[in-house]
Amino acid sequence: MEKTFIILKPDCMEKKLWGKVLDRFADAGFEIAACKMAQLGSELLRTHYAHVADKPFFPEIEAFMSSRPVIMVVLKGDDVINKVRDLLGPTDSTKAPAGTIRGDMGESMMINVCHASDGPETAAAEIARFFKPEEVLG
């Protein structure tokens, strides 16, 4: 059974959308293998966003992602990575169709409700970055 990593981002938390988002994942048949809430710090964000940490817009990402606690979730299910990304819609919420999580609840490229792993290798690395092995069940 495949696993993926999700962050319910600060905009999701501020607007109290976490229940609606998790309901969509549950309705799609996915199970939670791990879940916790945390305030993300600079070092962890710099590691997580290493692919853009040297870009001029990174300080804005860092400020946003550390602005309030987030919920981190490991979901499991058949083809969960692709199916979650389909449920979310495109990263840019302004281009996400109605009926997708980002299309219905997001605002922009950054204020887009959730982060989700984009492939099996990324999912494994992100799960290991945010969870200890014993915290991930099943």
Side-chain angles (χ1 to χ4, degrees), residues 97-137:
T100 64
I101 291 169
R102 290 176 175 147
D104 294 346
M105 302 177 214
E107 294 179 24
S108 66
M109 182 74 125
M110 183 167 49
I111 301 172
N112 64 0
V113 188
C114 290
H115 162 83
S117 301
D118 61 5
E121 297 81 19
T122 306
E126 290 176 344
I127 291 167
R129 181 177 302 132
F130 290 94
F131 290 90
K132 297 173 186 168
E134 63 271 16
E135 293 176 319
V136 181
L137 307 175

Side-chain angles (χ1 to χ4, degrees), residues 68-80:
R68 66 178 52 240
V70 297
I71 295 174
M72 298 167 291
V73 180
V74 177
L75 295 177
K76 64 182 181 178
D78 292 329
D79 197 28
V80 69

